[in-house]
PDB file of all heavy atoms in Angstrom:
ATOM      1  N   ALA A 221      11.730  16.589  14.406  1.00 98.00           N
ATOM      2  CA  ALA A 221      12.416  17.008  13.152  1.00 98.00           C
ATOM      3  C   ALA A 221      11.665  16.870  11.852  1.00 98.00           C
ATOM      4  O   ALA A 221      11.594  17.732  11.036  1.00 98.00           O
ATOM      5  CB  ALA A 221      13.796  16.205  13.052  1.00 98.00           C
ATOM      6  N   GLY A 231       5.476  24.878   3.166  1.00 98.00           N
ATOM      7  CA  GLY A 231       5.657  26.316   2.899  1.00 98.00           C
ATOM      8  C   GLY A 231       6.390  26.519   1.552  1.00 98.00           C
ATOM      9  O   GLY A 231       6.057  27.450   0.831  1.00 98.00           O
ATOM     10  N   LEU A 246      10.013  27.975 -14.667  1.00 98.00           N
ATOM     11  CA  LEU A 246      10.238  26.808 -13.776  1.00 98.00           C
ATOM     12  C   LEU A 246      11.639  26.821 -13.175  1.00 98.00           C
ATOM     13  O   LEU A 246      11.833  26.465 -12.044  1.00 98.00           O
ATOM     14  CB  LEU A 246       9.981  25.524 -14.481  1.00 98.00           C
ATOM     15  CG  LEU A 246       8.502  25.300 -15.012  1.00 98.00           C
ATOM     16  CD1 LEU A 246       8.391  23.964 -15.671  1.00 98.00           C
ATOM     17  CD2 LEU A 246       7.467  25.553 -13.968  1.00 98.00           C
ATOM     18  N   ASP A 261      17.150  26.363   7.220  1.00 98.00           N
ATOM     19  CA  ASP A 261      18.079  25.345   7.782  1.00 98.00           C
ATOM     20  C   ASP A 261      17.676  23.934   7.358  1.00 98.00           C
ATOM     21  O   ASP A 261      17.969  22.949   8.087  1.00 98.00           O
ATOM     22  CB  ASP A 261      18.212  25.414   9.310  1.00 98.00           C
ATOM     23  CG  ASP A 261      18.742  26.714   9.776  1.00 98.00           C
ATOM     24  OD1 ASP A 261      19.746  27.215   9.085  1.00 98.00           O
ATOM     25  OD2 ASP A 261      18.336  27.274  10.798  1.00 98.00           O
ATOM     26  N   ASN A 291      13.081  26.410 -18.742  1.00 98.00           N
ATOM     27  CA  ASN A 291      12.729  27.812 -18.987  1.00 98.00           C
ATOM     28  C   ASN A 291      11.249  28.041 -19.240  1.00 98.00           C
ATOM     29  O   ASN A 291      10.788  29.136 -19.512  1.00 98.00           O
ATOM     30  CB  ASN A 291      13.544  28.323 -20.169  1.00 98.00           C
ATOM     31  CG  ASN A 291      15.017  28.552 -19.774  1.00 98.00           C
ATOM     32  OD1 ASN A 291      15.348  29.070 -18.723  1.00 98.00           O
ATOM     33  ND2 ASN A 291      15.903  28.083 -20.632  1.00 98.00           N
ATOM     34  N   ALA A 368     -12.664   5.130  -9.461  1.00 98.00           N
ATOM     35  CA  ALA A 368     -13.759   4.698 -10.293  1.00 98.00           C
ATOM     36  C   ALA A 368     -15.016   5.661 -10.127  1.00 98.00           C
ATOM     37  O   ALA A 368     -15.682   5.938 -11.079  1.00 98.00           O
ATOM     38  CB  ALA A 368     -14.100   3.242  -9.924  1.00 98.00           C
ATOM     39  N   PHE A 375      -2.166   5.797 -12.440  1.00 98.00           N
ATOM     40  CA  PHE A 375      -1.003   5.243 -13.012  1.00 98.00           C
ATOM     41  C   PHE A 375      -0.431   4.179 -12.084  1.00 98.00           C
ATOM     42  O   PHE A 375       0.026   4.471 -10.959  1.00 98.00           O
ATOM     43  CB  PHE A 375       0.099   6.334 -13.217  1.00 98.00           C
ATOM     44  CG  PHE A 375      -0.204   7.271 -14.414  1.00 98.00           C
ATOM     45  CD1 PHE A 375      -1.013   8.365 -14.185  1.00 98.00           C
ATOM     46  CD2 PHE A 375       0.347   7.026 -15.655  1.00 98.00           C
ATOM     47  CE1 PHE A 375      -1.300   9.237 -15.204  1.00 98.00           C
ATOM     48  CE2 PHE A 375       0.039   7.869 -16.668  1.00 98.00           C
ATOM     49  CZ  PHE A 375      -0.741   8.956 -16.478  1.00 98.00           C
ATOM     50  N   ASN A 382       7.871   4.127   2.251  1.00 98.00           N
ATOM     51  CA  ASN A 382       8.359   4.639   3.555  1.00 98.00           C
ATOM     52  C   ASN A 382       9.348   5.747   3.462  1.00 98.00           C
ATOM     53  O   ASN A 382       9.929   5.895   2.341  1.00 98.00           O
ATOM     54  CB  ASN A 382       9.000   3.426   4.309  1.00 98.00           C
ATOM     55  CG  ASN A 382       8.104   2.729   5.280  1.00 98.00           C
ATOM     56  OD1 ASN A 382       6.902   2.655   5.049  1.00 98.00           O
ATOM     57  ND2 ASN A 382       8.659   2.197   6.330  1.00 98.00           N
ATOM     58  N   LEU A 426       2.182   8.793   0.577  1.00 98.00           N
ATOM     59  CA  LEU A 426       1.248   8.282  -0.389  1.00 98.00           C
ATOM     60  C   LEU A 426       1.164   9.245  -1.519  1.00 98.00           C
ATOM     61  O   LEU A 426       1.071  10.458  -1.274  1.00 98.00           O
ATOM     62  CB  LEU A 426      -0.128   8.118   0.260  1.00 98.00           C
ATOM     63  CG  LEU A 426      -0.286   7.097   1.375  1.00 98.00           C
ATOM     64  CD1 LEU A 426      -1.675   7.073   1.903  1.00 98.00           C
ATOM     65  CD2 LEU A 426       0.177   5.712   0.931  1.00 98.00           C
ATOM     66  N   ALA A 455      -2.471  14.673 -12.919  1.00 98.00           N
ATOM     67  CA  ALA A 455      -2.416  15.291 -11.581  1.00 98.00           C
ATOM     68  C   ALA A 455      -2.032  14.321 -10.475  1.00 98.00           C
ATOM     69  O   ALA A 455      -2.786  13.364 -10.211  1.00 98.00           O
ATOM     70  CB  ALA A 455      -3.800  15.964 -11.244  1.00 98.00           C
TER      71      ALA A 455
END
Side-chain angles (χ1 to χ4, degrees):
L246 299 183
D261 298 321
N291 286 315
F375 287 84
N382 261 32
L426 297 180

